[in-house]
Amino acid sequence: MDEALLRSLTPNVLGILVRRGADFAAAEDAVQEALIEAVRVWPGDRPKDPKGWLVTVAWRKFLDMARSDAARRRREDLVDDEPTPGPTPAVDDTLQLYFLCAHPSLTPSSAVALTLRAVGGLTTRQIAQAYLVPEATMAQRISRAKRTVSGVRFDQAGDVATVLRVLYLVFNEGYSGDVDLAAEAIRLTRRLSASIDHPEVAGLLALMLLHHARRAARTVSGGDLVPLAEQDRGKWDTRLIAEGVEILQAALARDRLGEFQAQAAIAALHADAPTAEETDWAQIVEWYDELARLTGSPVVRLNRAVAVGEADGPRAGLAALAELDDSLPRYAAVAAYLHERDGDLVTAARLYSEAAGKAANLAERAHLTRQAARINALKK
């Protein structure tokens, strides 16, 4: 059984059913039933037109469910419109599915889960394992999301920014569970990039590739985090870096700068430096200025303070940091690093310990705890 083929056909078949009048939740249930039927039938009798077969079977499954549901009796009028077996026009509905899954009525977590299920073709169990939650919990989350968007039609205007934000959230989930969400986000963004000509889509893809290129150097065998400055750059994937830079340059040439392009430009400057000491921090500060102008994000300004500390010295970085709210995530970690650079080991150790207590995950907590222990050892 060709699972990759079934996965690639799922968005198109789902889109066709929705365009023919099925609501999203019922259409997805019907497509899943058709996929189960394909797994049973195809090994012994694979159709010449897999997509047409899936459309026909899924439509029949949908009609069967509609007949048995009194609330949907009006759907029985569509029986005469059942598509006949044979070649189906090559219409790619993946793009519409992206916009539907990223509907503003959904919470970010629900939008991510629905995107992975409907567009990525992952099973509910795979998504649950990736998020480290029970399968029943994830099934309820996806079911609620499907009900929320069930009345949304594909001819409604979509929001590219929302779609990109969902994909960015998927990427940032990292590499937990049986499904590599970072790699899955790259795959989904590549598909979106092939469907829509938009510089920010290209910017997000470039950003993902440039960050993913450092993956092998980001941790050691035990899972401990390795700071960027200490990473073995020989482990960086130069092929991904070259592809990311090429995509970024083409996007920037269109002179429609967005936040993902600016982030990718910063990542590209890190990737371009042969060593940490040769990083062009002055230019990185300039890109953070652009990014802050585009987003107004205090988190961007927090990262900018680190860059300022590298470009103009730790005192300048601390001055930039002092302008921000100390309740920001990672504020204490940044302050600890800058105080260490400035030679104030007592304050640095205290702040590293404080940052460890606020860390969002175990790997980050362990890293910050080790930093605090290292500084305390230096004080003796």
Side-chain angles (χ1 to χ4, degrees):
M1 174 57 60
D2 191 345
E3 294 183 5
L5 175 61
L6 288 176
R7 174 182 287 190
S8 68
L9 291 175
T10 297
N12 289 336
V13 176
L14 179 58
I16 288 170
L17 264 64
V18 173
R19 289 210 318 275
R20 289 182 178 274
D23 66 68
F24 187 89
E28 189 184 23
D29 289 341
V31 171
Q32 292 303 312
E33 289 294 323
L35 293 175
I36 293 172
E37 189 73 4
V39 171
R40 185 182 68 82
V41 172
W42 284 15
D45 185 21
R46 179 166 173 168
K48 293 181 179 180
D49 177 23
K51 179 179 174 181
W53 188 97
L54 282 173
V55 170
T56 300
V57 173
W59 186 253
R60 286 174 177 163
K61 295 289 185 184
F62 163 71
L63 292 177
D64 287 342
M65 290 186 289
R67 292 190 189 99
S68 66
D69 187 346
R72 297 177 183 174
R73 291 185 183 280
R74 61 187 178 84
R75 299 265 187 209
E76 293 181 356
D77 295 334
L78 300 176
V79 171
D80 293 337
D81 293 332
E82 177 185 332
T84 58
T88 304
V91 178
D92 187 355
D93 294 288
T94 303
L95 183 57
Q96 291 96 322
L97 286 175
Y98 276 109
F99 289 121
L100 187 63
C101 293
H103 195 267
S105 61
L106 294 174
T107 64
S109 61
S110 294
V112 169
L114 189 58
T115 300
L116 290 171
R117 184 72 181 89
V119 187
L122 303 186
T123 66
T124 301
R125 174 172 295 181
Q126 286 175 316
I127 301 170
Q129 289 174 339
Y131 277 87
L132 304 178
V133 299
E135 183 176 355
T137 300
M138 185 55 67
Q140 290 175 353
R141 183 181 301 176
I142 294 173
S143 179
R144 285 195 298 268
K146 288 192 294 184
R147 286 197 299 270
T148 299
V149 301
S150 62
V152 178
R153 309 309 304 172
F154 271 10
D155 56 1
Q156 290 184 330
D159 180 6
V160 176
T162 301
V163 175
L164 295 182
R165 183 62 54 191
V166 168
L167 291 172
Y168 188 55
L169 288 172
V170 175
F171 182 80
N172 283 338
E173 284 298 324
Y175 321 108
S176 60
D178 290 340
V179 178
D180 184 338
L181 290 181
E184 183 65 15
I186 291 173
R187 186 183 72 83
L188 293 172
T189 306
R190 284 191 188 279
R191 292 177 64 183
L192 183 61
S193 180
S195 303
I196 183 172
D197 182 21
H198 193 291
E200 272 294 82
V201 177
L204 178 59
L205 179 56
L207 175 64
M208 289 178 175
L209 293 174
L210 289 164
H211 279 311
H212 207 58
R214 303 200 299 261
R215 175 175 180 172
R218 192 171 289 134
T219 59
V220 293
S221 57
D224 294 339
L225 295 177
V226 180
L228 178 61
E230 300 173 19
Q231 289 178 13
D232 179 356
R233 301 188 177 215
K235 293 182 178 180
W236 289 1
D237 189 327
T238 55
R239 180 187 59 82
L240 287 183
I241 290 174
E243 183 185 3
V245 169
E246 181 180 1
I247 292 172
L248 173 62
Q249 289 175 339
L252 292 176
R254 301 178 63 177
D255 199 24
R256 289 170 56 192
L257 184 64
E259 63 173 295
F260 290 119
Q261 295 170 71
Q263 288 189 56
I266 293 170
L269 286 168
H270 283 298
D272 187 55
T275 66
E277 292 73 23
E278 296 174 85
T279 302
D280 189 346
W281 286 106
Q283 194 172 351
I284 288 177
V285 171
E286 292 178 3
W287 275 111
Y288 270 123
D289 288 338
E290 287 286 350
L291 190 55
R293 179 182 62 80
L294 288 166
T295 65
S297 168
V299 175
V300 169
R301 294 177 63 199
L302 182 70
N303 292 330
R304 178 185 177 276
V306 177
V308 169
E310 298 291 350
D312 301 324
R315 297 269 174 105
L318 287 168
L321 188 65
E323 300 175 2
L324 304 177
D325 186 342
D326 63 6
S327 66
L328 280 172
R330 294 185 60 251
Y331 182 100
V334 170
Y337 174 74
L338 291 172
H339 277 290
E340 179 187 354
R341 289 276 320 280
D342 195 39
D344 186 352
L345 299 186
V346 173
T347 301
R350 175 178 58 79
L351 288 170
Y352 274 129
S353 295
E354 179 183 328
K358 299 177 179 178
N361 57 67
L362 292 177
E364 184 179 356
R365 181 179 303 167
H367 169 70
L368 292 168
T369 300
R370 287 194 302 273
Q371 294 296 86
R374 177 180 58 82
I375 298 298
N376 282 322
L378 290 175
K379 291 190 303 179
K380 294 179 181 178

